Amino acid sequence: MIYDKLLEIFGNVIPEVDSSEISMESSLTEDLGLNSLTMMLLAVSIEDEYDIKFEGAEELKTVKDVCAYIEEKTGQK
């Protein structure tokens, strides 16, 4: 499932955030504290994992948005 893999990626990119506290509704900036650098690291990690390219990713605000974006780009659930 994309969400489970995403939690693993979040754990690598932002190890200071406990993945058990991350939900689909978590805000990337407010709840997870991502800044422009960590957003870039997250994007690169997701691109590598799913072999996709982020375009228009600045519109992604929550974990749910990221999951939906990956589903759209890969056709996975």
Side-chain angles (χ1 to χ4, degrees):
M1 186 174 155
I2 290 174
Y3 177 70
D4 295 328
K5 188 63 185 178
L6 202 51
L7 289 181
E8 186 180 315
I9 293 170
F10 277 123
N12 293 332
V13 174
I14 47 171
E16 64 276 8
V17 175
D18 184 353
S19 63
S20 67
E21 296 179 7
I22 299 173
S23 72
M24 291 289 272
E25 287 75 34
S26 294
S27 165
L28 299 177
T29 55
E30 293 175 22
D31 297 330
L32 304 183
L34 294 179
N35 58 30
S36 57
L37 176 60
T38 50
M39 284 288 256
M40 181 66 72
L41 292 172
L42 179 65
V44 168
S45 297
I46 292 171
E47 286 177 345
D48 289 347
E49 178 66 33
Y50 291 99
D51 195 30
I52 60 174
K53 290 286 181 204
F54 271 97
E55 299 166 344
E58 53 278 343
E59 297 174 13
L60 305 177
K61 304 292 184 207
T62 66
V63 173
K64 184 177 183 178
D65 293 342
V66 176
C67 286
Y69 186 87
I70 295 168
E71 285 177 14
E72 177 186 316
K73 292 290 186 179
T74 64
Q76 296 182 29
K77 291 266 177 195

